[in-house]
Amino acid sequence: PKPTAEEVRLWGQSFDKLMHCPTGRSAFRQFLRTEFSEENMLFCKETNKSVIEEKARIIYEDYISILSPKEVSLDSRVREVINRNMLEPTSHTFDDAQLQIYTLMQRDSYPRFMNSPVYKNLLKTVSEQPVES
């Protein structure tokens, strides 16, 4: 579904509002693809704790392993914590890593997205559409 003008304007108010809207996440993910950093969004998408417990190894291999083509950029402290947590994965194994990547996207990619032609064109398009009753 296409976002409303109000939704698109709300995305400009905060990164959390963007990330809590399915169409916002989709638009942001498309933008991240253009910057070759889509892996950050894919990694943060894993929020269901029971799924994380079941998929810990897959998540590790896809996003944490230095051998992965989708490896996310984590500092050495967080990487060490994850390596220890992988001995007995829990629902909190990736909490530090997800927070670090979420913060990275909020501080780095989000401001660029707000200033990008992708966002500006989307805002212009939805603002020009007649309001349906």
Side-chain angles (χ1 to χ4, degrees):
K2 290 189 175 188
T4 65
E6 181 60 22
E7 283 178 317
V8 176
R9 279 191 282 278
L10 285 174
W11 302 345
Q13 293 177 5
S14 82
F15 185 62
D16 287 335
K17 288 180 181 176
L18 172 72
M19 293 297 284
H20 282 97
C21 177
T23 53
R25 282 193 311 272
S26 177
F28 187 57
R29 182 175 173 184
Q30 289 174 351
F31 170 75
L32 290 175
R33 260 188 220 130
T34 68
E35 295 201 330
F36 305 100
S37 59
E38 182 186 21
E39 67 277 358
N40 291 337
M41 185 74 167
L42 295 170
F43 178 68
C44 283
K45 191 171 77 172
E46 300 290 347
T47 57
N48 182 314
K49 299 302 182 186
S50 64
V51 171
I52 287 177
E53 289 174 1
E54 295 169 14
K55 294 185 171 184
R57 296 255 176 247
I58 294 168
I59 292 168
Y60 184 87
E61 290 170 8
D62 283 352
Y63 304 111
I64 309 300
S65 171
I66 59 172
L67 302 175
S68 172
K70 296 183 283 186
E71 177 191 8
V72 293
S73 179
L74 299 171
D75 65 34
S76 60
R77 181 196 64 81
V78 169
R79 196 170 292 280
E80 286 175 29
V81 168
I82 290 171
N83 286 334
R84 281 195 306 271
N85 289 344
M86 286 304 292
L87 297 173
E88 292 183 43
T90 70
S91 62
H92 301 286
T93 296
F94 303 106
D95 287 357
D96 287 349
Q98 286 181 318
L99 177 60
Q100 189 173 67
I101 296 302
Y102 189 89
T103 302
L104 173 71
M105 288 190 304
Q106 183 177 24
R107 290 183 183 157
D108 189 40
S109 302
Y110 173 67
R112 286 197 309 276
F113 175 66
M114 289 294 105
N115 290 312
S116 73
V118 171
Y119 176 74
K120 289 178 180 177
N121 290 338
L122 182 59
L123 182 59
K124 182 180 177 192
T125 301
V126 296
S127 296
E128 291 172 351
Q129 292 175 355
V131 177
E132 296 178 21
S133 54

